[in-house]
Amino acid sequence: MELNRRTVIAGAAAAGLAATTLGAGSAEAAPGGRKPVKEPFGKLADGTRIYRWSLENGGTRLKVLNWGGVVQSLEIPDRHGHYANVSLGFGDIDDYVAKTPYFGALIGRYGNRIAQGRFTLDGTTHQLSVNDGVNSLHGGKQGFDKHVWDVEPFTKGTDVGLHLHYTSVDGEMGYPGTLRATVTYTLTRHGEWRITYEATTDRATVVNLTSHVYWNLAGEGSGTIEDHELRIAASRYTPTDSGLIPTGELAEVAGTPFDFRHAKPIGRDIRAGHEQQVQAKGYDHNWALDKGITAEPVHVATLRDPCSGRTLKIATDQPGLQFYSGNFLDGTLTGTGGRTYRQGDALCLETQHFPDSPNHANFPSTVLRPGQTYRTTTVHTFSA
């Protein structure tokens, strides 16, 4: 943790933030962090109650719903110690159910797109739910983001967090096998947000879980992210066809607007007129990380807002990173702060395997078989 980050946290504690409760039911703090606090967040049409859990540790404040594992807000301080919610979201459950473009959600069974919602595994062709033209996106019409998860709060040493559980039955959205998934959100004493995904199956299937937080480090609803500076440790990316399905090529980023090997403002090349950008209306592509698949998370991306100084570093063990520049936000959605979200007002950095991997033998495999455990970790580190 950087020295100025320590100073910000110490200053916040001195100002009394460390002694402020998060709401009714807040029991004694865990060493280094607040015990997660549960509160009502509304009801679904069938009467199912939706809850929100609030966590705080190391200067990071996180609020999570049991609906889709949604990160409803994530607050971090700027260089002066001033907090802002840096993730897009809604203030009520009805908007999440009816309108959300995956704001803050857990994505499964398969993050990103599968061409024509179809793949063949062990000689059997499986037809999935299609919800993006002729393709399947983020698990289909009722992916993991549209289900209620079981939530188990925990404190462990200086960490606080939530275990989220969901069982996807055999055939759900067309996927084979009953998949038992557990996703753990952890806030560390340094304010890191760790996501650990685990899953097992009773039948061969494909799985690719990820998180779909929309980031704006200046604060949600504050305007464009085109001045944010981004670095991605990747020399290649996967070009797509007009349906945003990978062609199978691993193209070099050198000499193209897709070169983020050195940090640059997102807006510098976003209107360069490259064919890939024109059909995606900006950036909506998977970067093939230079490190490939690793046993432990490795730092692969840095996002910085030069005005506030807020910086996000992402480490992952996954081989890919989907960078989406908020191209389809159109001003029709009003967020938690009461402001509308327009094109380019946020971005997503989704750690993952490659889109449409089941249909590309040259891509890293996403097959999970009985007796195996799918396990992957992504770490978000914040500073200012």
Side-chain angles (χ1 to χ4, degrees), residues 110-113 138 208-210 230 232-241 244-253 256-260 276-277 279-280 282-293 300 316-325 327 348-357 360 362-364 366:
Y110 200 97
N112 222 305
R113 295 172 174 85
H138 294 333
N208 187 31
L209 307 183
T210 192
L230 177 63
I232 303 174
S235 303
R236 297 178 298 171
Y237 77 105
T238 53
T240 66
D241 63 19
L244 302 182
I245 297 293
T247 63
E249 179 188 5
L250 293 173
E252 297 288 337
V253 301
T256 78
F258 295 84
D259 191 350
F260 285 89
Q276 286 289 306
Q277 292 175 296
Q279 67 185 16
Y283 295 109
D284 192 1
H285 295 78
N286 167 68
W287 270 252
L289 299 170
D290 289 340
K291 71 173 188 62
I293 300 173
V300 296
T316 185
D317 48 24
Q318 293 287 276
L321 181 75
Q322 182 82 10
F323 165 35
Y324 167 58
S325 54
N327 313 328
C348 300
L349 297 169
E350 304 157 62
T351 55
Q352 58 176 23
H353 270 58
F354 299 174
D356 201 33
S357 287
H360 296 276
N362 61 318
F363 287 179
T366 55

Side-chain angles (χ1 to χ4, degrees), residues 24-308:
S26 178
E28 72 278 2
R34 305 270 176 88
K35 183 177 179 180
V37 176
K38 177 182 177 182
E39 61 183 329
F41 193 74
K43 295 181 182 180
L44 302 181
D46 65 1
T48 301
R49 295 181 181 274
I50 301 301
Y51 294 95
R52 180 172 66 182
W53 278 259
S54 298
L55 303 85
E56 184 173 348
N57 204 3
T60 299
R61 303 167 180 169
L62 183 66
K63 294 185 178 181
V64 177
L65 307 181
N66 62 334
W67 173 256
V70 163
V71 171
Q72 196 249 344
S73 73
L74 194 155
E75 299 180 40
I76 55 174
D78 65 9
R79 62 166 62 92
H80 302 296
H82 301 142
Y83 276 82
N85 173 20
V86 297
S87 67
L88 271 58
F90 294 121
D92 63 73
I93 189 58
D94 291 342
D95 282 345
Y96 280 106
V97 173
K99 303 176 182 179
T100 182
Y102 306 100
F103 283 158
L106 288 177
I107 302 298
R109 288 190 193 190
Y110 200 97
N112 222 305
R113 295 172 174 85
I114 293 181
Q116 298 182 26
R118 189 180 304 138
F119 69 92
T120 300
L121 178 59
D122 296 338
T124 299
T125 298
H126 300 276
Q127 180 61 57
L128 308 175
S129 164
V130 295
N131 61 329
D132 185 48
V134 299
N135 304 316
S136 183
L137 173 65
H138 294 333
K141 293 180 180 178
Q142 285 192 303
F144 285 9
D145 60 295
K146 296 177 179 65
H147 289 277
V148 176
W149 290 61
D150 294 326
V151 179
E152 176 189 357
F154 71 87
T155 60
K156 183 177 181 182
T158 57
D159 294 342
V160 298
L162 305 170
H163 297 302
L164 299 101
H165 308 282
Y166 177 69
T167 297
S168 175
V169 299
D170 183 28
E172 184 173 279
M173 296 296 103
Y175 286 91
T178 294
L179 189 83
R180 301 182 185 280
T182 296
V183 179
T184 301
Y185 290 163
T186 302
L187 289 185
T188 74
R189 65 187 179 92
H190 296 300
E192 297 169 325
W193 175 39
R194 300 176 63 93
I195 311 176
T196 301
Y197 308 84
E198 294 182 314
T200 58
T201 184
D202 61 0
R203 182 183 173 194
T205 191
V206 296
V207 60
N208 187 31
L209 307 183
T210 192
S211 170
H212 210 292
V213 171
Y214 282 69
W215 300 101
N216 186 322
L217 297 184
E220 64 84 30
S222 64
T224 183
I225 46 80
E226 289 189 10
D227 57 349
H228 281 37
E229 298 165 352
L230 177 63
R231 176 182 175 272
I232 303 174
S235 303
R236 297 178 298 171
Y237 77 105
T238 53
T240 66
D241 63 19
S242 59
L244 302 182
I245 297 293
T247 63
E249 179 188 5
L250 293 173
E252 297 288 337
V253 301
T256 78
F258 295 84
D259 191 350
F260 285 89
R261 290 175 296 175
H262 300 284
K264 67 178 181 181
I266 290 169
R268 176 179 295 175
D269 298 324
I270 200 168
R271 293 174 179 81
H274 191 285
E275 178 186 4
Q276 286 289 306
Q277 292 175 296
V278 171
Q279 67 185 16
K281 296 181 172 58
Y283 295 109
D284 192 1
H285 295 78
N286 167 68
W287 270 252
L289 299 170
D290 289 340
K291 71 173 188 62
I293 300 173
T294 48
E296 298 293 335
V298 173
H299 175 215
V300 296
T302 301
L303 180 69
R304 180 176 181 271
D305 170 36
C307 183
S308 67

